[in-house]
Amino acid sequence: MRLIVTFFLASLAIAPIGPARAGPDESNSAAPDRYTLRETANGWLRLDRETGLVSLCRAKYGGWICAPVPDATQVYEAEAKALQEERDRLKARVSQLEARLEAAGGNAPGDTEANDPNETAPPKAAPAQPLITPEEERELDRFMAFSERAMRRFFGMVKMLRREFDDRI
């Protein structure tokens, strides 16, 4: 069985995967040392020595499936590019909002008039009613006491089981 798997993997290494390319210098026979295979815990890594593409090959659905392994540098550069685009988009949006604020007669954040320390703050709203009633607070206290007792019992049981396990070893 191992011989059959080895033969199959060797044939995978020689046969190109993907659409056939047309061209004058391309032929259906690949160089015998074009691919390198390495066994891993998850399958086989296949390195294409001509292109540098690394693929992870796995036995699935009665055949072999090879998927390209993402290049860490490409992933990093793509993320950096996406963040740069988002930063540029946010800068443009801030500029739009500052322009709208100035057009409406307000002060832009960089203006010194808006940061005048002598300017009075807007009046504060009246204090809101409490979020919970006294009865709800009592029920919450009962629940918290119950939760505390349950957690203490649980951790006590864990401690006891740990001691029993350590004694067995």
Side-chain angles (χ1 to χ4, degrees), residues 1 5-6 13 25 31 37 41 96 100 107 109 117 119 130 138 157:
M1 180 67 181
V5 171
T6 305
D25 60 340
L37 289 173
Q96 285 177 343
R100 283 180 56 192
N107 296 319
E119 189 175 315
R138 282 191 299 275
M157 288 171 42

Side-chain angles (χ1 to χ4, degrees), residues 61-150:
Y61 311 116
W64 287 88
I65 297 175
C66 294
V69 176
D71 185 12
T73 305
Q74 290 175 343
V75 171
Y76 174 74
E77 288 173 355
E79 180 70 18
K81 182 180 178 184
L83 290 172
Q84 181 74 27
E85 290 171 355
E86 183 179 5
R87 184 187 69 117
D88 294 342
R89 183 183 57 78
L90 290 173
K91 277 186 168 184
R93 179 70 176 144
V94 167
S95 297
Q96 285 177 343
L97 292 173
E98 285 177 348
R100 283 180 56 192
L101 182 62
E102 282 185 46
N107 296 319
D111 291 347
T112 55
E113 296 173 9
N115 299 327
D116 186 10
N118 295 330
E119 189 175 315
T120 59
K124 293 184 179 179
Q129 292 183 349
L131 295 175
I132 59 175
T133 64
E135 184 172 324
E136 291 172 329
E137 190 169 346
R138 282 191 299 275
E139 190 163 334
L140 181 62
D141 287 339
R142 281 186 31 228
F143 173 75
M144 291 300 289
F146 168 78
S147 299
E148 183 179 357
R149 285 191 311 271

Side-chain angles (χ1 to χ4, degrees), residues 21-28:
R21 297 182 206 150
D25 60 340
E26 292 280 331
S27 65
N28 287 341

Side-chain angles (χ1 to χ4, degrees), residues 6-24:
T6 305
F7 178 76
F8 184 71
L9 288 174
S11 66
L12 267 179
I14 294 172
I17 291 184
R21 297 182 206 150

Side-chain angles (χ1 to χ4, degrees), residues 27-60:
S27 65
N28 287 341
S29 62
D33 60 345
R34 177 175 176 179
Y35 297 100
T36 302
L37 289 173
R38 297 279 184 229
E39 189 173 9
T40 66
N42 298 331
W44 290 81
L45 280 180
R46 184 184 74 171
L47 169 65
D48 185 342
R49 290 182 179 178
E50 289 182 13
T51 63
L53 179 69
V54 177
S55 300
L56 179 62
C57 300
R58 296 179 183 165
K60 274 191 175 179

